[in-house]
Amino acid sequence: MHKVQVKGILSAKNGMNVYRGCTHGCIYCDARSDCYNFTHDFEDIEVKENAPELLEKALRAKRRRCMIGTGAMCDPYLHAERELEITRRCLEIIHKYGFGVTLLTKSDLIMRDIDLLEKINIGAKTVVQMTLTTADEKLCRIVEPNVCTTARRLEVLLEMKKRGIPTVIWFTPQLPYINDTVENVRRIVEMGAMAEVRGIITFGMVLTLRSGDREHYYAQLDHHFPDLKQRYIREFGDRYEIPCPNGKALWETFVYECEKNGIERRQDKIFAYLDEFPEPEQLTLEI
C-alpha cells in the first residue's frame, strides 16, 4: 500500500472513498476497469491518509446534516483498515457532528465498529449494506477469495438487526453459468428475510464486463472454470452487459420471493431510503 494526500474527500452527493484499489480478490470486480485510470497495481492500496481531516472540515462547513455514504467504489473495510483505522476515524467524525452514514461492504471487519455505528444510528441514522452473491460457501471462496464468506456476512446482518441498525443487501452480480440459479436466488432472499433487511438491490440478472475487468475475469475463469471463457466469448463476445441465459426465470423468482417476504426490491425506493436523513422530532406543548 502507499499513502497519498488528497485535496477533497466528499463527492457532490456526499459519498467518499478513503481507499483506492482492493485486496478482497473478487474475480468480477468492475473497479479494475481501465476507465478508472489506475496508475498503480490494483492490490497496491492507495490510502487517503488525510481523509478524516478533510471530512471534518467538510462537515463543519455544511449547513444541513445529511447521510454520508462510503463503499460505492472501494470497500471501507479492506485488510489495511484493521491497522490504519481511517474508516473508524471518519465514523467518529460523522458521529461527532450528528450526520448519518451508510456503508457498503463485504467484510466482517465492520463488526469492530458496531458500537459506534449503533451510536450514530441512535443520534441520526446508520444503514449497513452487505453484498451477497452466492449462498454456496465453496463457490464464495472461489469468486470472493480474500474476504469472509456469505455465511459470516449473514451473521453480521443478524447482529445489526439485534442492534436495531437497518440493513440492505446488494445481490449482484449474477455470473452466467456460475451463480445464476433459481435456488441461489431463493436462498439469498431467505437470508434477507432472516435479517429483516430494508431491501435487496439487484441491477437485473446480469454481469458487466469492460476492458481491464474483462481480462482479469477471463483469467480467473481459465483458472477455476476451465472452458467457460470460450463459452462466454462465443455467446457474448465483447458485450458490456452479459445477461444470464435464464435471466427471466431468475428475475421472476426474485420478484416472487421478495414480495412473499415483504422485502423492498425497487431500486428507486431503496436508494431514496439510503439518502433520506431523519428529521428531528418536533416537540409539542401540552395544554
Side-chain angles (χ1 to χ4, degrees), residues 50-84:
N50 61 331
E53 291 77 14
L54 291 174
L55 178 63
E56 183 157 23
K57 181 179 179 181
L59 297 191
R60 261 202 320 257
K62 282 191 175 291
R63 299 179 64 181
R64 295 185 63 182
R65 290 179 296 169
C66 62
M67 297 297 291
I68 306 299
T70 186
M73 282 298 299
C74 182
D75 197 308
Y77 288 101
L78 300 181
H79 300 87
E81 170 62 19
R82 190 176 301 278
E83 172 191 349
L84 298 175

Side-chain angles (χ1 to χ4, degrees), residues 3 29 40 75 81 89-90 99 101 105 113 129 163-164 181 184 192 199 215 218 221 233 267:
K3 298 178 180 179
C29 183
H40 56 85
D75 197 308
E81 170 62 19
R89 288 164 57 199
C90 288
F99 283 71
V101 67
T105 185
D113 297 336
Q129 304 173 72
R163 301 287 188 110
T181 68
N184 189 51
E215 290 77 7
Y218 280 177
L221 291 186
I233 293 171
Q267 292 179 27

Side-chain angles (χ1 to χ4, degrees), residues 116-127 163-166:
L116 183 52
L117 294 173
E118 187 176 21
K119 290 177 183 177
I120 294 172
N121 192 50
I122 291 171
K125 178 181 172 185
T126 297
V127 186
R163 301 287 188 110
I165 297 172

Side-chain angles (χ1 to χ4, degrees), residues 25-274:
C26 304
I27 70 172
Y28 51 76
C29 183
D30 176 73
R32 291 180 179 274
S33 300
D34 293 342
C35 62
Y36 298 117
N37 301 313
F38 272 81
T39 56
H40 56 85
D41 290 341
F42 190 69
E43 289 78 11
D44 177 17
I45 303 303
E46 181 177 285
V47 179
K48 301 175 185 178
E49 63 176 348
N50 61 331
E53 291 77 14
L54 291 174
L55 178 63
E56 183 157 23
K57 181 179 179 181
L59 297 191
R60 261 202 320 257
K62 282 191 175 291
R63 299 179 64 181
R64 295 185 63 182
R65 290 179 296 169
C66 62
M67 297 297 291
I68 306 299
T70 186
M73 282 298 299
C74 182
D75 197 308
Y77 288 101
L78 300 181
H79 300 87
E81 170 62 19
R82 190 176 301 278
E83 172 191 349
L84 298 175
E85 297 191 351
I86 294 179
T87 295
R88 181 171 180 85
R89 288 164 57 199
C90 288
L91 290 174
E92 290 169 344
I93 292 164
I94 289 168
H95 176 51
K96 175 182 177 181
Y97 289 94
F99 283 71
V101 67
T102 178
L103 308 96
L104 173 58
T105 185
K106 290 187 180 84
S107 175
D108 61 349
L109 181 55
I110 194 172
M111 292 296 291
R112 181 199 64 189
D113 297 336
I114 193 168
D115 290 346
L116 183 52
L117 294 173
E118 187 176 21
K119 290 177 183 177
I120 294 172
N121 192 50
I122 291 171
K125 178 181 172 185
T126 297
V127 186
V128 171
Q129 304 173 72
M130 186 69 72
T131 299
L132 307 182
T133 55
T134 176
D136 184 322
E137 291 289 281
K138 182 178 179 181
L139 180 59
C140 187
R141 291 186 178 95
I142 293 173
V143 299
E144 298 159 349
N146 302 328
V147 69
C148 67
T149 62
T150 303
R152 175 57 178 158
R153 293 177 218 172
L154 175 59
E155 290 177 356
V156 172
L157 291 172
L158 292 171
E159 186 59 34
M160 296 295 167
K161 172 188 167 184
K162 289 180 184 177
R163 301 287 188 110
I165 297 172
T167 55
V168 167
I169 287 174
W170 283 63
F171 181 31
T172 182
Q174 314 304 323
L175 310 177
Y177 309 118
I178 298 177
N179 71 331
D180 59 336
T181 68
V182 167
E183 178 60 21
N184 189 51
V185 173
R186 288 197 184 105
R187 291 176 67 187
I188 294 296
V189 178
E190 285 172 3
M191 291 179 186
M194 289 174 61
E196 297 181 6
V197 298
R198 293 298 183 103
I200 300 178
I201 294 173
T202 185
F203 298 97
M205 302 300 159
V206 299
L207 164 69
T208 57
L209 292 177
R210 46 190 160 188
S211 179
D213 174 23
R214 179 181 290 107
E215 290 77 7
H216 178 79
Y217 182 67
Y218 280 177
Q220 295 301 308
L221 291 186
D222 277 342
H223 182 66
H224 296 290
F225 307 98
D227 301 325
L228 192 50
K229 180 180 78 173
Q230 295 307 317
R231 188 171 186 178
Y232 269 60
I233 293 171
R234 282 196 313 271
E235 296 186 17
F236 309 122
D238 290 332
R239 292 175 62 175
Y240 166 65
E241 193 170 274
I242 310 299
C244 294
N246 58 339
K248 185 174 184 293
L250 297 177
W251 181 254
E252 289 175 351
T253 302
F254 177 69
V255 171
Y256 174 78
E257 293 294 330
C258 284
E259 292 181 353
K260 182 179 75 173
N261 288 283
I263 298 175
E264 183 60 70
R265 60 171 179 81
R266 293 168 293 179
Q267 292 179 27
D268 58 338
K269 298 291 185 181
I270 300 172
F271 284 120
Y273 171 72
L274 294 175

Side-chain angles (χ1 to χ4, degrees), residues 10-24:
L10 277 187
S11 71
K13 295 185 177 181
N14 299 307
M16 66 176 183
N17 290 284
V18 302
Y19 300 108
R20 195 159 185 256
C22 193
T23 49
H24 288 341

